[in-house]
Amino acid sequence: MRAILLLAFLTLEVVTMGLALAQELYIRDLPNGGKLIVKPRDDTSAVALHVWFRVGSIYEKYDEKGMAHFLEHMLFNGSEKYPYGEVDKIIESLGGNINAGTSKDFTYYHIEIAAPYWREALEVLYQITLKALLDEKMIEKEKEIVIEELRRGKDNPSTVLWETFEKTAYKVSPYRFPVIGFENTIRNFTRDMLLRFYRDFYQPRNMAVIVVGNVNPEEVEREVTRTFGREEGRPVPKVQIPNEPEQIGARFEKLEDPRVEKAYWIIGWRVPPIGKTDYYGLVVLDEILGSGRTSVLYRELREKGLVYSYFAGDLGRPRDNMYVISATFDPDKYEEVKEKVLKLLEEVYKSLTEKQVESAKQKIISSRIFEEEKVEGEAYDIGYSYTVIRDIDFYRFFEKNVGRVRKVDVMKVYEKYLSKGDYVEVLMLPKGGSR
């Protein structure tokens, strides 16, 4: 009893810490429609500065496939203030890191730097995101770089496996297309096309500036207003993103690849979009099923030598979300692995206890707080919540919502989403392998 009470106390303490930290947000609407979110922290000497745009590959027309990713490359190729190569030199000379990422739902640019240099970092982010030159010669140069990146991806069996999985899972949704696009679309990009896409989506009304770290929020607001805030806010194009129709029955694709010696396998189910009420039950189920060395999949698959490696988790999508389990194993173990995974899902459902649920919740909440000790982790969570989920309360009340999950909520997730045979499956075998 004493141990149970201690666990309950620690869980409550962690939840309280998380909520206290999360509620100290300084949120302002810029005059041009942009959003500023600052999380001041005096427990660190670092600052993370992020600029998020609600645009990724699902916002592209077919002849624009790969454009969001291509623009991410182009924005480092010169701005009104900084010529090509200058940005990296500035940030590195100040001891910081700069990078960017493009996904199917969003694009973001970020710098992590010591607190005294946050203004210089903010100016750099302003220049590369809203003042890019998109020089014609650099566009042609970058095409070859991105196409080479695309070809290297095709040479990677894991990339082929995941792209095949998404093509199999999605028949209508633009999630079925790869972020990097296609060689023929990339080659046909013109400066006018890029400028139109850039002007439509890289602008204040489609933007959030996130700053987390040892800063004064009012000072940040003044600097952001002076830079990002002076740009014109324009109507953002309304892009109709079709939802994937309900799947009836299982889908299976088999690949053979002479480059692999092991079997590579993915199985996935439709699950609630990130942030919805029943999503938190999925988070707890995933913790029990596949997170860490104490998880069911680790003990029953990895420790017992049935698989070489595995991954489990949802794709974190605001629509048409999926929960996937992937694994690598000896080709002749495919049937055994699949049967075991499906059996383990059912066994977790049937044997689930409140104690398991409470333990999983405590681990999730603790992990979240440890992750957000780093300013870049917290800035990312804020940006993702506002930009992708379109609900900053996902960040604010994540711990509270996880804390509300009960055994029955976890069981309902299995019953509604994972218990039926409407899954998607892709198996890659060595050339000449059998099934």
Side-chain angles (χ1 to χ4, degrees):
M1 176 61 74
R2 183 178 179 184
I4 293 173
L5 289 173
L6 178 60
L7 175 61
F9 173 77
L10 289 174
T11 302
L12 178 62
E13 184 181 53
V14 170
V15 171
T16 305
M17 282 174 56
L19 291 176
L21 288 171
Q23 288 170 345
E24 298 171 4
L25 291 180
Y26 181 93
I27 302 175
R28 294 292 184 270
D29 292 319
L30 301 177
N32 53 12
K35 182 72 72 174
L36 169 64
I37 306 174
V38 184
K39 174 64 181 295
R41 288 176 48 173
D42 59 10
D43 63 333
T44 178
S45 59
V47 178
L49 303 98
H50 287 208
V51 183
W52 286 67
F53 296 95
R54 190 174 287 131
V55 63
S57 62
I58 64 171
Y59 291 82
E60 300 162 344
K61 300 172 185 175
Y62 190 81
D63 64 343
E64 297 171 340
K65 290 304 171 189
M67 190 167 286
H69 172 261
F70 190 85
L71 270 177
E72 178 206 317
H73 280 245
M74 283 301 305
L75 266 57
F76 286 90
N77 284 329
S79 70
E80 289 184 6
K81 184 174 181 179
Y82 303 118
Y84 171 71
E86 189 68 19
V87 161
D88 289 329
K89 291 179 183 177
I90 292 172
I91 298 303
E92 287 176 9
S93 72
L94 298 174
N97 298 302
I98 182 169
N99 214 327
T102 305
S103 81
K104 300 197 174 188
D105 292 288
F106 65 90
T107 306
Y108 80 119
Y109 300 78
H110 59 100
I111 294 174
E112 290 78 45
I113 204 161
Y117 308 117
W118 70 263
R119 289 179 178 80
E120 291 89 337
L122 185 73
E123 177 68 23
V124 165
L125 285 176
Y126 166 59
Q127 284 289 322
I128 66 172
T129 57
L130 298 188
K131 293 295 187 180
L133 295 177
L134 302 184
D135 178 76
E136 189 81 58
K137 290 181 180 178
M138 295 305 295
I139 290 171
E140 294 308 311
K141 176 185 175 183
E142 205 64 45
K143 283 182 182 181
E144 299 307 317
I145 294 172
V146 173
I147 288 170
E148 179 58 29
E149 180 184 342
L150 184 153
R151 289 173 178 169
R152 287 199 307 271
K154 297 296 184 186
D155 288 337
N156 185 332
S158 294
T159 300
V160 175
L161 180 78
W162 279 95
E163 288 186 358
T164 302
F165 177 80
E166 298 219 279
K167 283 192 294 185
T168 306
Y170 302 109
K171 301 302 180 183
V172 172
S173 168
Y175 283 126
R176 69 190 190 275
F177 298 115
V179 172
I180 200 169
F182 306 104
E183 184 169 343
N184 66 311
T185 55
I186 295 167
R187 288 208 180 278
N188 288 328
F189 290 164
T190 65
R191 186 170 188 270
D192 286 344
M193 291 172 64
L194 291 165
L195 279 171
R196 182 169 61 249
F197 194 88
Y198 177 65
R199 183 175 173 80
D200 283 344
F201 295 106
Y202 278 75
Q203 51 120 329
R205 292 192 189 179
N206 201 45
M207 171 196 77
V209 179
I210 319 293
V211 181
V212 175
N214 198 336
V215 294
N216 179 299
E218 288 82 7
E219 291 180 4
V220 173
E221 182 181 4
R222 285 195 291 272
E223 288 299 310
V224 170
T225 302
R226 182 187 65 79
T227 52
F228 293 91
R230 71 184 185 189
E231 298 300 316
E232 177 191 6
R234 301 176 294 277
V236 181
K238 293 182 179 180
V239 178
Q240 297 298 322
I241 301 172
N243 289 320
E244 186 68 20
E246 182 182 359
Q247 179 180 328
I248 307 298
R251 295 176 186 172
F252 177 82
E253 287 291 334
K254 177 185 172 184
L255 304 171
E256 291 188 354
D257 195 312
R259 298 169 295 183
V260 303
E261 296 179 354
K262 297 175 287 189
Y264 290 73
W265 177 64
I266 306 176
I267 187 169
W269 297 261
R270 303 294 161 83
V271 290
I274 186 170
K276 298 301 181 183
T277 302
D278 50 354
Y279 177 77
Y280 299 97
L282 176 66
V283 173
V284 175
L285 176 59
D286 175 58
E287 179 69 31
I288 295 168
L289 189 65
S291 181
R293 291 174 175 266
T294 60
S295 68
V296 172
L297 291 180
Y298 187 88
R299 294 197 316 266
E300 298 297 323
L301 299 181
R302 182 70 178 83
E303 277 192 349
K304 293 184 177 180
L306 193 56
V307 303
Y308 294 110
S309 63
Y310 79 91
F311 165 82
D314 77 285
L315 302 182
R317 289 176 175 167
R319 58 175 70 80
D320 297 321
N321 197 18
M322 297 196 76
Y323 184 80
V324 299
I325 298 172
S326 67
T328 60
F329 43 82
D330 291 330
D332 60 356
K333 291 184 177 178
Y334 161 68
E335 298 288 354
E336 184 181 0
V337 171
K338 179 180 177 181
E339 182 180 352
K340 185 69 171 178
V341 166
L342 296 179
K343 185 178 179 181
L344 288 172
L345 282 167
E346 185 178 6
E347 287 178 355
V348 167
Y349 166 73
K350 288 181 176 179
S351 64
L352 188 67
T353 66
E354 290 287 3
K355 184 177 179 181
Q356 279 181 300
V357 171
E358 291 305 313
S359 177
K361 287 158 52 176
Q362 195 270 338
K363 289 177 183 177
I364 292 165
I365 293 168
S366 297
S367 176
R368 170 88 166 190
I369 289 180
F370 291 142
E371 169 198 332
E372 291 186 350
E373 282 185 352
K374 295 182 178 180
V375 290
E376 57 266 33
E378 188 163 24
Y380 184 92
D381 286 348
I382 293 170
Y384 198 93
S385 296
Y386 176 77
T387 307
V388 179
I389 306 172
R390 302 190 183 214
D391 185 3
I392 195 65
D393 284 348
F394 180 81
Y395 159 80
R396 275 182 165 143
F397 303 118
F398 179 82
E399 292 91 348
K400 183 176 181 179
N401 286 322
V402 168
R404 288 173 171 167
V405 173
R406 298 293 176 259
K407 172 184 168 182
V408 65
D409 301 314
V410 180
M411 295 177 72
K412 283 180 180 178
V413 168
Y414 174 82
E415 292 167 355
K416 185 174 181 180
Y417 300 103
L418 305 181
S419 65
K420 304 177 181 65
D422 301 332
Y423 51 76
V424 178
E425 189 182 3
V426 177
L427 175 66
M428 177 183 283
L429 295 171
K431 188 73 171 178
S434 60
R435 177 202 167 199

